[in-house]
Amino acid sequence: MAEPNSTFKPIKPKLKPKPRTPKQTPESKYWSSFKTHQIPDLISSVTSLTFSPSHPHPFAATHSTSLKIFNPQTLSPSSTISSFSDVVSSASFRCDGLLIAASDLSGLIQVFDVKTRTPLRKLRSHTRPVRFLKYPLHDKLHLVSGGDDAVVKYWDVASETPLLELLGHKDYVRCGDFSPVSHEMCVTGSYDHTVKLWDVRVTGSKTVMEVNHGKPVESVVFLPSGGLVATAGGNSVRIWDFIGGGKMVYSMESHTKTVTSVCVGRVGKENVEEGREHRVLSVGLDGYMKVFDYGRMKVTHSMRFPAPLMSIGFSPDCGVRVIGSSNGVMYVGKRKMKEENVESGLRSFWSLGVEQERRVMRPSYFRYFHRGQGEKPKEGDYLVMGPKKVKLAEHDKLLKKFRHKEALVLVLGNKNPENVVAVMEELVARRKLLKCVENLDNEELGSLLMFLQKYSTVPRFSGLLMGLTKKVLEMRVEDIRASEALKGQIRNLKRSVEEEIRIQHSLQELQGIISPLLRIAGRG
């Protein structure tokens, strides 16, 4: 018989079922591109993280009775300030990055020169521990602070005196932030569940607006527009529209434990427009960092860390993300800096231009007509694709020659279940499988029965193999009765099927127990 057409396609084994994994979005790829480095041995919990507004944006971390400033390129500490008598609770850089203010639980606020670490001012007025302080975005002369005395103070740093005492909170003041559009407006959050907006120009030190978060407020931050505020307390992060009268825009409740800190980050790509896409980053005691897109009102990325998280910071140039944990470890995620990307891009552009200049060929050149098959096609060339050579396996070659029984015996000997089932399905399509089974001798029939005993109960093969097992027993019953070896194979096959039936009954019992519980949980 003549060989079939050369367009014969090799049979493909059944692929194993792939687990359903959610497709990674471009934004998830962006946040995952921050390569995490650990900075251990910070003695105690990292209570506060802040970045300098000036390039190259070093960041400061407060822990125990120390304030450490880190280099964002090397991630090593460039300086350590230890002139504190109690645990350091908060820190904030001035808008020019030359000074840094820090508070501790003794109620003292100190202002230091970043380069010399010299204490320049000491602000004493709080009677209880100070929990937060903040420099305005465009003001070098003032700062705001709050603490366990439930008082918010607006300071004149030069004279070391509080200009205003903003009264209104009834419990510990834990957090605060200045407006990005006005250095005279700030917002504070307290354990009395309230978030208050203050304007230092208002006489009588009265609050301008107040919203109730519903839980003790751990962190608060202005969003870049200046009209929206994000607050964190309990297991929720809430977005408030202060321009719209303090209306709650959305409540994100993806955390399972208390949210301890929030900050604003950017999807910082090279394109300026895309770089304006801001996100709210939150961390909590559940060990998760969540990225919240407040434009689309959805969580776009989530990342798990091995310890409860206490603080988070994001650099203004979108190059570094820092997370502080309760066990004294900082998780620093770092991307390639913009200058490095530009420099590498210029290098690759220059090398590409030189290579193109060297390799360019025109039809008027002699070399143009002596190009080899390794030459890559140019834009505008008409491509003629040659047929790809298909490499056939041994069983494919036998099937191509219509030697069906030999192909089946060959794959049974190779003991690759995917290939065996693929050959069987091809023989079913050709209506030759039962004919092959009928022509098997006793030894080959034993190999088939052994395969059926091993794989007939495998879920992805059972649809074909259980039906084939029934047909084999019907067609070769006389041969099986005449051979003790084949009888032993049938006994093994019977035990295998009985064991599978027992397992299925047990699973049905478990399903009957679990299903009512799931329905009750669904109603709750």
Side-chain angles (χ1 to χ4, degrees), residues 388-404:
K388 292 183 179 180
K389 187 176 180 181
V390 179
K391 188 176 181 181
L392 299 178
E394 288 299 321
H395 58 268
D396 286 319
K397 293 177 182 177
L398 293 173
L399 288 174
K400 185 177 178 181
K401 298 176 182 178
F402 296 107
R403 294 160 65 177
H404 301 133

Side-chain angles (χ1 to χ4, degrees), residues 87-367:
V87 175
V88 187
S89 56
S90 181
S92 178
F93 281 97
R94 200 171 71 172
C95 59
D96 56 6
L98 299 178
L99 302 182
I100 186 171
S103 62
D104 61 32
L105 298 188
S106 69
L108 176 65
I109 300 171
Q110 300 184 70
V111 180
F112 299 91
D113 185 297
V114 172
K115 290 184 179 179
T116 63
R117 296 177 293 169
T118 306
L120 304 178
R121 295 289 186 273
K122 294 187 178 182
L123 314 181
R124 293 184 175 90
S125 179
H126 284 282
T127 58
R128 301 286 296 276
V130 178
R131 295 295 179 175
F132 92 93
L133 59 84
K134 189 75 176 180
Y135 264 110
L137 194 59
H138 304 293
D139 183 359
K140 299 179 181 179
L141 304 177
H142 303 95
L143 62 80
V144 68
S145 65
D148 290 357
D149 54 7
V151 180
V152 178
K153 296 180 183 287
Y154 182 70
W155 295 85
D156 176 16
V157 178
S159 63
E160 302 182 352
T161 57
L163 299 179
L164 292 173
E165 290 192 354
L166 308 175
L167 305 175
H169 286 295
K170 299 176 182 178
D171 206 336
Y172 301 159
V173 180
R174 300 288 293 190
C175 52
D177 192 23
F178 266 102
S179 169
V181 296
S182 172
H183 63 270
E184 293 162 327
M185 299 187 71
C186 64
V187 66
T188 57
S190 168
Y191 271 8
D192 61 6
H193 301 190
T194 64
V195 176
K196 296 181 183 291
L197 178 67
W198 309 90
D199 189 334
V200 297
R201 298 165 294 186
V202 175
T203 58
S205 305
K206 293 182 180 180
T207 181
V208 177
M209 190 177 297
E210 176 183 325
V211 296
N212 193 316
H213 182 85
K215 295 286 179 66
V217 181
E218 299 284 351
S219 184
V220 61
V221 64
F222 264 103
L223 301 186
S225 65
L228 298 177
V229 172
T231 61
N235 67 338
S236 65
V237 176
R238 295 182 176 179
I239 310 295
W240 305 87
D241 182 4
F242 275 34
I243 292 179
K247 179 180 67 175
M248 187 178 72
V249 178
Y250 191 80
S251 178
M252 187 270 286
E253 299 180 359
S254 294
H255 287 276
T256 57
K257 292 184 180 179
T258 301
V259 183
T260 52
S261 181
V262 293
C263 75
V264 176
R266 284 193 303 163
V267 181
K269 300 181 181 178
E270 308 304 326
N271 188 305
V272 176
E273 289 299 322
E274 290 181 336
R276 291 177 183 168
E277 294 183 13
H278 292 87
R279 303 288 186 263
V280 175
L281 280 65
S282 63
V283 294
L285 297 179
D286 55 2
Y288 277 95
M289 181 200 78
K290 305 279 184 178
V291 180
F292 180 67
D293 181 355
Y294 58 88
R296 292 181 291 165
M297 301 300 173
K298 63 181 291 189
V299 176
T300 56
H301 186 66
S302 180
M303 187 177 292
R304 176 73 189 272
F305 292 88
L309 306 179
M310 304 301 294
S311 52
I312 185 169
F314 195 79
S315 67
D317 63 356
C318 309
V320 181
R321 179 218 65 222
V322 188
I323 296 174
S325 69
S326 63
N327 58 4
V329 177
M330 282 200 304
Y331 301 95
V332 183
K334 191 171 182 294
R335 297 180 73 236
K336 272 191 175 182
M337 300 304 290
K338 191 174 181 180
E339 291 79 8
E340 295 175 5
N341 293 337
V342 172
E343 186 180 346
S344 63
L346 289 174
R347 284 199 301 268
S348 61
F349 177 76
W350 179 82
S351 62
L352 180 62
V354 171
E355 186 179 358
Q356 286 181 344
E357 185 178 351
R358 179 171 54 83
R359 295 188 59 185
V360 66
M361 287 188 291
R362 298 188 178 92
S364 58
Y365 294 171
F366 179 76
R367 284 189 300 128

Side-chain angles (χ1 to χ4, degrees), residues 433-445:
L433 180 58
L434 297 183
K435 185 69 174 176
C436 293
V437 171
E438 190 177 356
N439 293 332
L440 294 175
D441 60 30
N442 282 3
E443 185 178 348
E444 295 164 348
L445 181 60

